[in-house]
Amino acid sequence: DVKVTQSSRYLVKRTGEKVFLECVQDMDHENMFWYRQDPGLGLRLIYFSYDVKMKEKGDIPEGYSVSREKKERFSLILESASTNQTSMYLCASSKDGARSGNTIYFGEGSWLTVV
Amino acid sequence: KQEVTQIPAALSVPEGENLVLNCSFTDSAIYNLQWFRQDPGKGLTSLLLIQSSQREQTSGRLNASLDKSSGRSTLYIAASQPGDSATYLCAVRLSGSARQLTFGSGTQLTVLP
């Protein structure tokens, strides 16, 4: 089975802190994603990576950056955490070329509270 | 812009009933549609993926159908069980780019024992 592992399930950080959320997948997937999920707003894409060192902004990239130095690992960085970044963060991956086809797999989620 | 709607937002049924969850989308030029299950506080688990050329997919008690022309998909759950209680989301992939995935807001299903 595909496994997408998010290193931290629950975090509490202070406003202004730098926050790292780590995600690792074990199926050699090209694509990796970071979403946030908020009540009433659903899932929103923050960043997407289709290869090592390659990234694309999603719908809500402001206040976030990402790093993909190895194929299996995709990190989400909050440079200076703010209270409006309190949310559930979901990492996902899929094996995909330029065309459609493949299932997207999600991690268990990371609950971030910024105080 | 693709919009995905799931109605109703919440549904409560007695155990043993067959039920249908609905997903509608505004742009019929999709590549595929995927149904997920999400338990409280957890990530999303993929249930079924239907390619644009397919009409339905089945897995156990689950059957998902796709009608691109009308912009609709349904997830049929047979003989519902309390363990089926969860939020069910559909997601539509619009184009060849993997990032073009739009999620519905989900239907929260409660199956009463």
Side-chain angles (χ1 to χ4, degrees):
Chain A
D1 275 354
V2 174
K3 188 137 183 162
V4 179
T5 304
Q6 295 183 230
S7 57
S8 303
R9 285 281 284 141
Y10 302 96
L11 304 94
V12 179
K13 298 291 181 180
R14 295 191 182 280
T15 301
E17 274 194 78
K18 191 168 185 175
V19 182
F20 293 86
L21 299 180
E22 305 286 344
C23 176
V24 176
Q25 49 93 3
D26 65 357
M27 284 300 290
D28 200 38
H29 284 175
E30 290 85 6
N31 303 319
M32 296 190 75
F33 311 78
W34 275 106
Y35 291 88
R36 64 177 283 177
Q37 185 177 30
D38 301 285
L41 297 175
L43 274 86
R44 294 178 291 167
L45 180 66
I46 305 171
Y47 266 99
F48 160 62
S49 170
Y50 53 92
D51 202 349
V52 174
K53 297 189 187 294
M54 306 305 288
K55 62 186 179 185
E56 284 186 13
K57 292 180 180 179
D59 300 319
I60 50 163
E62 297 78 19
Y64 303 95
S65 62
V66 290
S67 172
R68 192 161 180 207
E69 297 297 319
K70 293 185 178 181
K71 191 174 184 180
E72 66 270 19
R73 187 179 298 269
F74 192 35
S75 303
L76 180 69
I77 303 153
L78 288 67
E79 295 289 342
S80 178
S82 63
T83 54
N84 64 11
Q85 293 179 309
T86 291
S87 186
M88 161 85 135
Y89 289 87
L90 289 162
C91 176
S93 73
S94 70
K95 186 163 187 67
D96 222 343
R99 305 280 303 173
S100 71
N102 292 327
T103 302
I104 182 169
Y105 297 90
F106 282 82
E108 284 287 281
S110 297
W111 286 93
L112 172 66
T113 302
V114 183
V115 298
Chain B
K1 182 184 173 184
Q2 176 77 279
E3 291 183 7
V4 180
T5 304
Q6 292 184 249
I7 295 174
L11 179 65
S12 185
V13 300
E15 181 177 5
E17 268 203 15
N18 302 325
L19 60 101
V20 174
L21 305 180
N22 298 297
C23 172
S24 60
F25 45 93
T26 53
D27 189 335
S28 61
I30 66 169
Y31 270 48
N32 62 36
L33 183 146
Q34 195 165 350
W35 282 93
F36 296 89
R37 169 189 173 131
Q38 185 175 30
D39 293 297
K42 298 289 185 68
L44 280 68
T45 300
S46 177
L47 297 173
L48 290 164
L49 178 114
I50 310 178
Q51 303 293 354
S52 61
S53 58
Q54 297 173 323
R55 295 298 299 266
E56 64 179 317
Q57 281 286 336
T58 298
S59 175
R61 293 183 294 109
L62 304 179
N63 175 276
S65 68
L66 175 63
D67 184 344
K68 281 200 318 177
S69 60
S70 66
R72 291 185 181 181
S73 176
T74 60
L75 179 67
Y76 174 81
I77 303 177
S80 59
Q81 302 169 0
D84 295 330
S85 298
T87 297
Y88 291 81
L89 297 97
C90 67
V92 173
R93 181 163 166 182
L94 184 59
S95 73
S97 170
R99 72 178 297 282
Q100 299 289 343
L101 195 65
T102 304
F103 285 84
S105 52
T107 294
Q108 185 175 353
L109 172 67
T110 302
V111 181
L112 303 168

PDB file of all heavy atoms in Angstrom, chain B residues 55-92:
ATOM      1  N   ARG B  55     -17.983   4.646 -17.058  1.00  0.00           N
ATOM      2  CA  ARG B  55     -19.300   5.026 -16.549  1.00  0.00           C
ATOM      3  C   ARG B  55     -19.450   4.701 -15.078  1.00  0.00           C
ATOM      4  O   ARG B  55     -20.218   5.348 -14.376  1.00  0.00           O
ATOM      5  CB  ARG B  55     -20.398   4.313 -17.340  1.00  0.00           C
ATOM      6  CG  ARG B  55     -20.472   4.714 -18.792  1.00  0.00           C
ATOM      7  CD  ARG B  55     -20.804   6.196 -18.927  1.00  0.00           C
ATOM      8  NE  ARG B  55     -22.066   6.573 -18.350  1.00  0.00           N
ATOM      9  CZ  ARG B  55     -23.203   6.649 -19.013  1.00  0.00           C
ATOM     10  NH1 ARG B  55     -23.236   6.351 -20.295  1.00  0.00           N
ATOM     11  NH2 ARG B  55     -24.315   7.029 -18.398  1.00  0.00           N
ATOM     12  N   GLU B  56     -18.736   3.668 -14.623  1.00  0.00           N
ATOM     13  CA  GLU B  56     -18.844   3.334 -13.201  1.00  0.00           C
ATOM     14  C   GLU B  56     -17.661   2.499 -12.745  1.00  0.00           C
ATOM     15  O   GLU B  56     -16.927   1.908 -13.560  1.00  0.00           O
ATOM     16  CB  GLU B  56     -20.152   2.590 -12.917  1.00  0.00           C
ATOM     17  CG  GLU B  56     -20.298   1.246 -13.578  1.00  0.00           C
ATOM     18  CD  GLU B  56     -21.627   0.607 -13.210  1.00  0.00           C
ATOM     19  OE1 GLU B  56     -22.018   0.667 -12.019  1.00  0.00           O
ATOM     20  OE2 GLU B  56     -22.271   0.030 -14.091  1.00  0.00           O
ATOM     21  N   GLN B  57     -17.498   2.459 -11.408  1.00  0.00           N
ATOM     22  CA  GLN B  57     -16.489   1.639 -10.762  1.00  0.00           C
ATOM     23  C   GLN B  57     -17.118   1.061  -9.507  1.00  0.00           C
ATOM     24  O   GLN B  57     -17.936   1.707  -8.848  1.00  0.00           O
ATOM     25  CB  GLN B  57     -15.268   2.478 -10.378  1.00  0.00           C
ATOM     26  CG  GLN B  57     -14.311   2.798 -11.502  1.00  0.00           C
ATOM     27  CD  GLN B  57     -13.473   1.620 -11.918  1.00  0.00           C
ATOM     28  OE1 GLN B  57     -13.257   0.698 -11.135  1.00  0.00           O
ATOM     29  NE2 GLN B  57     -13.026   1.612 -13.157  1.00  0.00           N
ATOM     30  N   THR B  58     -16.692  -0.150  -9.188  1.00  0.00           N
ATOM     31  CA  THR B  58     -17.254  -0.833  -8.015  1.00  0.00           C
ATOM     32  C   THR B  58     -16.135  -1.353  -7.134  1.00  0.00           C
ATOM     33  O   THR B  58     -15.106  -1.831  -7.627  1.00  0.00           O
ATOM     34  CB  THR B  58     -18.145  -1.999  -8.458  1.00  0.00           C
ATOM     35  OG1 THR B  58     -19.222  -1.480  -9.230  1.00  0.00           O
ATOM     36  CG2 THR B  58     -18.701  -2.753  -7.260  1.00  0.00           C
ATOM     37  N   SER B  59     -16.393  -1.253  -5.812  1.00  0.00           N
ATOM     38  CA  SER B  59     -15.483  -1.853  -4.849  1.00  0.00           C
ATOM     39  C   SER B  59     -16.311  -2.294  -3.657  1.00  0.00           C
ATOM     40  O   SER B  59     -16.820  -1.473  -2.888  1.00  0.00           O
ATOM     41  CB  SER B  59     -14.420  -0.853  -4.413  1.00  0.00           C
ATOM     42  OG  SER B  59     -13.600  -1.398  -3.397  1.00  0.00           O
ATOM     43  N   GLY B  60     -16.485  -3.604  -3.532  1.00  0.00           N
ATOM     44  CA  GLY B  60     -17.275  -4.121  -2.424  1.00  0.00           C
ATOM     45  C   GLY B  60     -18.694  -3.591  -2.439  1.00  0.00           C
ATOM     46  O   GLY B  60     -19.413  -3.730  -3.432  1.00  0.00           O
ATOM     47  N   ARG B  61     -19.104  -2.952  -1.350  1.00  0.00           N
ATOM     48  CA  ARG B  61     -20.475  -2.407  -1.260  1.00  0.00           C
ATOM     49  C   ARG B  61     -20.596  -1.021  -1.898  1.00  0.00           C
ATOM     50  O   ARG B  61     -21.679  -0.414  -1.852  1.00  0.00           O
ATOM     51  CB  ARG B  61     -20.879  -2.313   0.222  1.00  0.00           C
ATOM     52  CG  ARG B  61     -21.036  -3.675   0.911  1.00  0.00           C
ATOM     53  CD  ARG B  61     -21.509  -3.527   2.351  1.00  0.00           C
ATOM     54  NE  ARG B  61     -20.514  -2.857   3.204  1.00  0.00           N
ATOM     55  CZ  ARG B  61     -20.654  -1.638   3.686  1.00  0.00           C
ATOM     56  NH1 ARG B  61     -21.734  -0.919   3.426  1.00  0.00           N
ATOM     57  NH2 ARG B  61     -19.707  -1.114   4.460  1.00  0.00           N
ATOM     58  N   LEU B  62     -19.530  -0.533  -2.481  1.00  0.00           N
ATOM     59  CA  LEU B  62     -19.531   0.804  -3.056  1.00  0.00           C
ATOM     60  C   LEU B  62     -19.590   0.724  -4.576  1.00  0.00           C
ATOM     61  O   LEU B  62     -18.919  -0.102  -5.189  1.00  0.00           O
ATOM     62  CB  LEU B  62     -18.265   1.564  -2.658  1.00  0.00           C
ATOM     63  CG  LEU B  62     -17.961   1.695  -1.171  1.00  0.00           C
ATOM     64  CD1 LEU B  62     -16.656   2.460  -0.982  1.00  0.00           C
ATOM     65  CD2 LEU B  62     -19.087   2.378  -0.438  1.00  0.00           C
ATOM     66  N   ASN B  63     -20.400   1.610  -5.152  1.00  0.00           N
ATOM     67  CA  ASN B  63     -20.456   1.740  -6.599  1.00  0.00           C
ATOM     68  C   ASN B  63     -20.509   3.220  -6.935  1.00  0.00           C
ATOM     69  O   ASN B  63     -21.382   3.946  -6.440  1.00  0.00           O
ATOM     70  CB  ASN B  63     -21.683   1.018  -7.161  1.00  0.00           C
ATOM     71  CG  ASN B  63     -21.833   1.226  -8.648  1.00  0.00           C
ATOM     72  OD1 ASN B  63     -22.379   2.225  -9.104  1.00  0.00           O
ATOM     73  ND2 ASN B  63     -21.334   0.288  -9.426  1.00  0.00           N
ATOM     74  N   ALA B  64     -19.580   3.673  -7.758  1.00  0.00           N
ATOM     75  CA  ALA B  64     -19.577   5.067  -8.170  1.00  0.00           C
ATOM     76  C   ALA B  64     -19.896   5.139  -9.655  1.00  0.00           C
ATOM     77  O   ALA B  64     -19.371   4.349 -10.447  1.00  0.00           O
ATOM     78  CB  ALA B  64     -18.228   5.710  -7.895  1.00  0.00           C
ATOM     79  N   SER B  65     -20.755   6.059 -10.027  1.00  0.00           N
ATOM     80  CA  SER B  65     -21.105   6.254 -11.433  1.00  0.00           C
ATOM     81  C   SER B  65     -20.705   7.652 -11.861  1.00  0.00           C
ATOM     82  O   SER B  65     -20.559   8.557 -11.030  1.00  0.00           O
ATOM     83  CB  SER B  65     -22.607   6.052 -11.642  1.00  0.00           C
ATOM     84  OG  SER B  65     -23.317   7.099 -11.013  1.00  0.00           O
ATOM     85  N   LEU B  66     -20.536   7.804 -13.171  1.00  0.00           N
ATOM     86  CA  LEU B  66     -20.145   9.094 -13.727  1.00  0.00           C
ATOM     87  C   LEU B  66     -20.956   9.372 -14.981  1.00  0.00           C
ATOM     88  O   LEU B  66     -21.024   8.528 -15.888  1.00  0.00           O
ATOM     89  CB  LEU B  66     -18.652   9.094 -14.080  1.00  0.00           C
ATOM     90  CG  LEU B  66     -18.118  10.330 -14.785  1.00  0.00           C
ATOM     91  CD1 LEU B  66     -18.245  11.565 -13.887  1.00  0.00           C
ATOM     92  CD2 LEU B  66     -16.667  10.130 -15.220  1.00  0.00           C
ATOM     93  N   ASP B  67     -21.579  10.546 -15.028  1.00  0.00           N
ATOM     94  CA  ASP B  67     -22.283  11.015 -16.214  1.00  0.00           C
ATOM     95  C   ASP B  67     -21.706  12.385 -16.548  1.00  0.00           C
ATOM     96  O   ASP B  67     -22.125  13.408 -16.003  1.00  0.00           O
ATOM     97  CB  ASP B  67     -23.784  11.099 -15.954  1.00  0.00           C
ATOM     98  CG  ASP B  67     -24.564  11.497 -17.194  1.00  0.00           C
ATOM     99  OD1 ASP B  67     -23.938  11.991 -18.158  1.00  0.00           O
ATOM    100  OD2 ASP B  67     -25.789  11.327 -17.211  1.00  0.00           O
ATOM    101  N   LYS B  68     -20.732  12.382 -17.446  1.00  0.00           N
ATOM    102  CA  LYS B  68     -20.041  13.630 -17.767  1.00  0.00           C
ATOM    103  C   LYS B  68     -20.971  14.640 -18.399  1.00  0.00           C
ATOM    104  O   LYS B  68     -20.890  15.835 -18.109  1.00  0.00           O
ATOM    105  CB  LYS B  68     -18.869  13.350 -18.717  1.00  0.00           C
ATOM    106  CG  LYS B  68     -17.657  12.805 -18.055  1.00  0.00           C
ATOM    107  CD  LYS B  68     -16.389  13.002 -18.895  1.00  0.00           C
ATOM    108  CE  LYS B  68     -16.586  12.728 -20.358  1.00  0.00           C
ATOM    109  NZ  LYS B  68     -15.353  12.990 -21.134  1.00  0.00           N
ATOM    110  N   SER B  69     -21.844  14.186 -19.253  1.00  0.00           N
ATOM    111  CA  SER B  69     -22.689  15.127 -20.004  1.00  0.00           C
ATOM    112  C   SER B  69     -23.584  15.942 -19.074  1.00  0.00           C
ATOM    113  O   SER B  69     -23.874  17.110 -19.340  1.00  0.00           O
ATOM    114  CB  SER B  69     -23.528  14.387 -21.036  1.00  0.00           C
ATOM    115  OG  SER B  69     -24.369  13.447 -20.403  1.00  0.00           O
ATOM    116  N   SER B  70     -24.012  15.326 -17.994  1.00  0.00           N
ATOM    117  CA  SER B  70     -24.868  16.056 -17.056  1.00  0.00           C
ATOM    118  C   SER B  70     -24.070  16.624 -15.890  1.00  0.00           C
ATOM    119  O   SER B  70     -24.630  17.300 -15.029  1.00  0.00           O
ATOM    120  CB  SER B  70     -25.967  15.139 -16.514  1.00  0.00           C
ATOM    121  OG  SER B  70     -25.413  14.109 -15.719  1.00  0.00           O
ATOM    122  N   GLY B  71     -22.778  16.348 -15.848  1.00  0.00           N
ATOM    123  CA  GLY B  71     -21.933  16.870 -14.782  1.00  0.00           C
ATOM    124  C   GLY B  71     -22.257  16.280 -13.420  1.00  0.00           C
ATOM    125  O   GLY B  71     -22.301  17.004 -12.418  1.00  0.00           O
ATOM    126  N   ARG B  72     -22.466  14.959 -13.387  1.00  0.00           N
ATOM    127  CA  ARG B  72     -22.862  14.333 -12.119  1.00  0.00           C
ATOM    128  C   ARG B  72     -22.137  13.023 -11.884  1.00  0.00           C
ATOM    129  O   ARG B  72     -21.846  12.265 -12.794  1.00  0.00           O
ATOM    130  CB  ARG B  72     -24.359  14.061 -12.117  1.00  0.00           C
ATOM    131  CG  ARG B  72     -25.207  15.292 -12.064  1.00  0.00           C
ATOM    132  CD  ARG B  72     -26.672  14.943 -11.948  1.00  0.00           C
ATOM    133  NE  ARG B  72     -27.478  16.145 -11.924  1.00  0.00           N
ATOM    134  CZ  ARG B  72     -28.794  16.156 -11.812  1.00  0.00           C
ATOM    135  NH1 ARG B  72     -29.452  15.012 -11.707  1.00  0.00           N
ATOM    136  NH2 ARG B  72     -29.451  17.285 -11.805  1.00  0.00           N
ATOM    137  N   SER B  73     -21.912  12.768 -10.607  1.00  0.00           N
ATOM    138  CA  SER B  73     -21.440  11.470 -10.159  1.00  0.00           C
ATOM    139  C   SER B  73     -22.216  11.094  -8.910  1.00  0.00           C
ATOM    140  O   SER B  73     -22.624  11.959  -8.137  1.00  0.00           O
ATOM    141  CB  SER B  73     -19.944  11.505  -9.854  1.00  0.00           C
ATOM    142  OG  SER B  73     -19.507  10.263  -9.327  1.00  0.00           O
ATOM    143  N   THR B  74     -22.440   9.800  -8.746  1.00  0.00           N
ATOM    144  CA  THR B  74     -23.092   9.324  -7.527  1.00  0.00           C
ATOM    145  C   THR B  74     -22.239   8.232  -6.898  1.00  0.00           C
ATOM    146  O   THR B  74     -21.565   7.470  -7.600  1.00  0.00           O
ATOM    147  CB  THR B  74     -24.498   8.765  -7.795  1.00  0.00           C
ATOM    148  OG1 THR B  74     -24.389   7.657  -8.701  1.00  0.00           O
ATOM    149  CG2 THR B  74     -25.419   9.810  -8.377  1.00  0.00           C
ATOM    150  N   LEU B  75     -22.267   8.186  -5.586  1.00  0.00           N
ATOM    151  CA  LEU B  75     -21.643   7.097  -4.838  1.00  0.00           C
ATOM    152  C   LEU B  75     -22.758   6.342  -4.137  1.00  0.00           C
ATOM    153  O   LEU B  75     -23.452   6.905  -3.286  1.00  0.00           O
ATOM    154  CB  LEU B  75     -20.640   7.633  -3.812  1.00  0.00           C
ATOM    155  CG  LEU B  75     -19.947   6.554  -2.967  1.00  0.00           C
ATOM    156  CD1 LEU B  75     -19.033   5.695  -3.844  1.00  0.00           C
ATOM    157  CD2 LEU B  75     -19.129   7.181  -1.840  1.00  0.00           C
ATOM    158  N   TYR B  76     -22.921   5.094  -4.522  1.00  0.00           N
ATOM    159  CA  TYR B  76     -23.961   4.240  -3.960  1.00  0.00           C
ATOM    160  C   TYR B  76     -23.319   3.345  -2.907  1.00  0.00           C
ATOM    161  O   TYR B  76     -22.303   2.691  -3.170  1.00  0.00           O
ATOM    162  CB  TYR B  76     -24.578   3.411  -5.087  1.00  0.00           C
ATOM    163  CG  TYR B  76     -25.568   2.365  -4.652  1.00  0.00           C
ATOM    164  CD1 TYR B  76     -26.890   2.697  -4.374  1.00  0.00           C
ATOM    165  CD2 TYR B  76     -25.186   1.030  -4.537  1.00  0.00           C
ATOM    166  CE1 TYR B  76     -27.799   1.730  -3.995  1.00  0.00           C
ATOM    167  CE2 TYR B  76     -26.099   0.054  -4.155  1.00  0.00           C
ATOM    168  CZ  TYR B  76     -27.407   0.414  -3.890  1.00  0.00           C
ATOM    169  OH  TYR B  76     -28.313  -0.551  -3.509  1.00  0.00           O
ATOM    170  N   ILE B  77     -23.899   3.345  -1.718  1.00  0.00           N
ATOM    171  CA  ILE B  77     -23.425   2.482  -0.637  1.00  0.00           C
ATOM    172  C   ILE B  77     -24.537   1.503  -0.306  1.00  0.00           C
ATOM    173  O   ILE B  77     -25.642   1.901   0.098  1.00  0.00           O
ATOM    174  CB  ILE B  77     -23.035   3.291   0.619  1.00  0.00           C
ATOM    175  CG1 ILE B  77     -21.966   4.321   0.274  1.00  0.00           C
ATOM    176  CG2 ILE B  77     -22.539   2.341   1.720  1.00  0.00           C
ATOM    177  CD1 ILE B  77     -21.571   5.221   1.433  1.00  0.00           C
ATOM    178  N   ALA B  78     -24.258   0.228  -0.474  1.00  0.00           N
ATOM    179  CA  ALA B  78     -25.260  -0.803  -0.209  1.00  0.00           C
ATOM    180  C   ALA B  78     -25.171  -1.271   1.239  1.00  0.00           C
ATOM    181  O   ALA B  78     -24.088  -1.349   1.823  1.00  0.00           O
ATOM    182  CB  ALA B  78     -25.050  -1.977  -1.149  1.00  0.00           C
ATOM    183  N   ALA B  79     -26.338  -1.576   1.793  1.00  0.00           N
ATOM    184  CA  ALA B  79     -26.405  -2.180   3.133  1.00  0.00           C
ATOM    185  C   ALA B  79     -25.513  -1.443   4.119  1.00  0.00           C
ATOM    186  O   ALA B  79     -24.560  -1.998   4.670  1.00  0.00           O
ATOM    187  CB  ALA B  79     -26.036  -3.653   3.056  1.00  0.00           C
ATOM    188  N   SER B  80     -25.828  -0.178   4.338  1.00  0.00           N
ATOM    189  CA  SER B  80     -24.951   0.686   5.146  1.00  0.00           C
ATOM    190  C   SER B  80     -24.757   0.141   6.568  1.00  0.00           C
ATOM    191  O   SER B  80     -25.633  -0.522   7.143  1.00  0.00           O
ATOM    192  CB  SER B  80     -25.521   2.100   5.196  1.00  0.00           C
ATOM    193  OG  SER B  80     -26.824   2.092   5.748  1.00  0.00           O
ATOM    194  N   GLN B  81     -23.581   0.448   7.111  1.00  0.00           N
ATOM    195  CA  GLN B  81     -23.188  -0.006   8.447  1.00  0.00           C
ATOM    196  C   GLN B  81     -22.721   1.199   9.264  1.00  0.00           C
ATOM    197  O   GLN B  81     -22.258   2.187   8.691  1.00  0.00           O
ATOM    198  CB  GLN B  81     -22.045  -1.015   8.333  1.00  0.00           C
ATOM    199  CG  GLN B  81     -22.358  -2.221   7.500  1.00  0.00           C
ATOM    200  CD  GLN B  81     -21.125  -3.060   7.192  1.00  0.00           C
ATOM    201  OE1 GLN B  81     -20.010  -2.720   7.609  1.00  0.00           O
ATOM    202  NE2 GLN B  81     -21.330  -4.164   6.496  1.00  0.00           N
ATOM    203  N   PRO B  82     -22.785   1.121  10.589  1.00  0.00           N
ATOM    204  CA  PRO B  82     -22.294   2.244  11.402  1.00  0.00           C
ATOM    205  C   PRO B  82     -20.851   2.621  11.082  1.00  0.00           C
ATOM    206  O   PRO B  82     -20.475   3.790  11.162  1.00  0.00           O
ATOM    207  CB  PRO B  82     -22.441   1.725  12.828  1.00  0.00           C
ATOM    208  CG  PRO B  82     -23.598   0.778  12.765  1.00  0.00           C
ATOM    209  CD  PRO B  82     -23.476   0.106  11.418  1.00  0.00           C
ATOM    210  N   GLY B  83     -20.040   1.645  10.701  1.00  0.00           N
ATOM    211  CA  GLY B  83     -18.651   1.917  10.332  1.00  0.00           C
ATOM    212  C   GLY B  83     -18.502   2.734   9.062  1.00  0.00           C
ATOM    213  O   GLY B  83     -17.403   3.216   8.768  1.00  0.00           O
ATOM    214  N   ASP B  84     -19.586   2.910   8.326  1.00  0.00           N
ATOM    215  CA  ASP B  84     -19.553   3.753   7.128  1.00  0.00           C
ATOM    216  C   ASP B  84     -19.674   5.227   7.484  1.00  0.00           C
ATOM    217  O   ASP B  84     -19.521   6.095   6.619  1.00  0.00           O
ATOM    218  CB  ASP B  84     -20.689   3.388   6.166  1.00  0.00           C
ATOM    219  CG  ASP B  84     -20.549   1.984   5.596  1.00  0.00           C
ATOM    220  OD1 ASP B  84     -19.405   1.517   5.448  1.00  0.00           O
ATOM    221  OD2 ASP B  84     -21.585   1.345   5.325  1.00  0.00           O
ATOM    222  N   SER B  85     -19.963   5.527   8.730  1.00  0.00           N
ATOM    223  CA  SER B  85     -20.105   6.916   9.156  1.00  0.00           C
ATOM    224  C   SER B  85     -18.796   7.667   8.956  1.00  0.00           C
ATOM    225  O   SER B  85     -17.751   7.269   9.484  1.00  0.00           O
ATOM    226  CB  SER B  85     -20.530   6.980  10.622  1.00  0.00           C
ATOM    227  OG  SER B  85     -21.792   6.371  10.821  1.00  0.00           O
ATOM    228  N   ALA B  86     -18.852   8.724   8.195  1.00  0.00           N
ATOM    229  CA  ALA B  86     -17.658   9.506   7.835  1.00  0.00           C
ATOM    230  C   ALA B  86     -18.125  10.638   6.926  1.00  0.00           C
ATOM    231  O   ALA B  86     -19.300  10.720   6.568  1.00  0.00           O
ATOM    232  CB  ALA B  86     -16.626   8.644   7.102  1.00  0.00           C
ATOM    233  N   THR B  87     -17.184  11.475   6.534  1.00  0.00           N
ATOM    234  CA  THR B  87     -17.467  12.477   5.504  1.00  0.00           C
ATOM    235  C   THR B  87     -16.943  11.949   4.175  1.00  0.00           C
ATOM    236  O   THR B  87     -15.821  11.443   4.093  1.00  0.00           O
ATOM    237  CB  THR B  87     -16.811  13.820   5.838  1.00  0.00           C
ATOM    238  OG1 THR B  87     -17.377  14.321   7.052  1.00  0.00           O
ATOM    239  CG2 THR B  87     -17.034  14.823   4.726  1.00  0.00           C
ATOM    240  N   TYR B  88     -17.769  12.054   3.154  1.00  0.00           N
ATOM    241  CA  TYR B  88     -17.415  11.573   1.826  1.00  0.00           C
ATOM    242  C   TYR B  88     -17.225  12.769   0.892  1.00  0.00           C
ATOM    243  O   TYR B  88     -18.095  13.625   0.794  1.00  0.00           O
ATOM    244  CB  TYR B  88     -18.493  10.635   1.287  1.00  0.00           C
ATOM    245  CG  TYR B  88     -18.536   9.332   2.054  1.00  0.00           C
ATOM    246  CD1 TYR B  88     -19.207   9.248   3.275  1.00  0.00           C
ATOM    247  CD2 TYR B  88     -17.875   8.204   1.575  1.00  0.00           C
ATOM    248  CE1 TYR B  88     -19.219   8.064   4.000  1.00  0.00           C
ATOM    249  CE2 TYR B  88     -17.884   7.019   2.302  1.00  0.00           C
ATOM    250  CZ  TYR B  88     -18.554   6.966   3.511  1.00  0.00           C
ATOM    251  OH  TYR B  88     -18.554   5.790   4.234  1.00  0.00           O
ATOM    252  N   LEU B  89     -16.069  12.807   0.256  1.00  0.00           N
ATOM    253  CA  LEU B  89     -15.750  13.909  -0.642  1.00  0.00           C
ATOM    254  C   LEU B  89     -15.524  13.384  -2.054  1.00  0.00           C
ATOM    255  O   LEU B  89     -14.974  12.304  -2.238  1.00  0.00           O
ATOM    256  CB  LEU B  89     -14.496  14.654  -0.194  1.00  0.00           C
ATOM    257  CG  LEU B  89     -14.539  15.351   1.156  1.00  0.00           C
ATOM    258  CD1 LEU B  89     -13.910  14.483   2.234  1.00  0.00           C
ATOM    259  CD2 LEU B  89     -13.802  16.687   1.098  1.00  0.00           C
ATOM    260  N   CYS B  90     -15.920  14.187  -3.011  1.00  0.00           N
ATOM    261  CA  CYS B  90     -15.559  13.887  -4.391  1.00  0.00           C
ATOM    262  C   CYS B  90     -14.588  14.955  -4.880  1.00  0.00           C
ATOM    263  O   CYS B  90     -14.596  16.088  -4.380  1.00  0.00           O
ATOM    264  CB  CYS B  90     -16.785  13.799  -5.298  1.00  0.00           C
ATOM    265  SG  CYS B  90     -17.656  15.344  -5.533  1.00  0.00           S
ATOM    266  N   ALA B  91     -13.740  14.568  -5.817  1.00  0.00           N
ATOM    267  CA  ALA B  91     -12.771  15.505  -6.387  1.00  0.00           C
ATOM    268  C   ALA B  91     -12.689  15.267  -7.880  1.00  0.00           C
ATOM    269  O   ALA B  91     -12.639  14.124  -8.338  1.00  0.00           O
ATOM    270  CB  ALA B  91     -11.405  15.313  -5.744  1.00  0.00           C
ATOM    271  N   VAL B  92     -12.679  16.358  -8.609  1.00  0.00           N
ATOM    272  CA  VAL B  92     -12.678  16.282 -10.069  1.00  0.00           C
ATOM    273  C   VAL B  92     -11.351  16.813 -10.600  1.00  0.00           C
ATOM    274  O   VAL B  92     -10.891  17.882 -10.197  1.00  0.00           O
ATOM    275  CB  VAL B  92     -13.839  17.125 -10.638  1.00  0.00           C
ATOM    276  CG1 VAL B  92     -13.744  17.196 -12.147  1.00  0.00           C
ATOM    277  CG2 VAL B  92     -15.170  16.542 -10.225  1.00  0.00           C
TER     278      VAL B  92
END
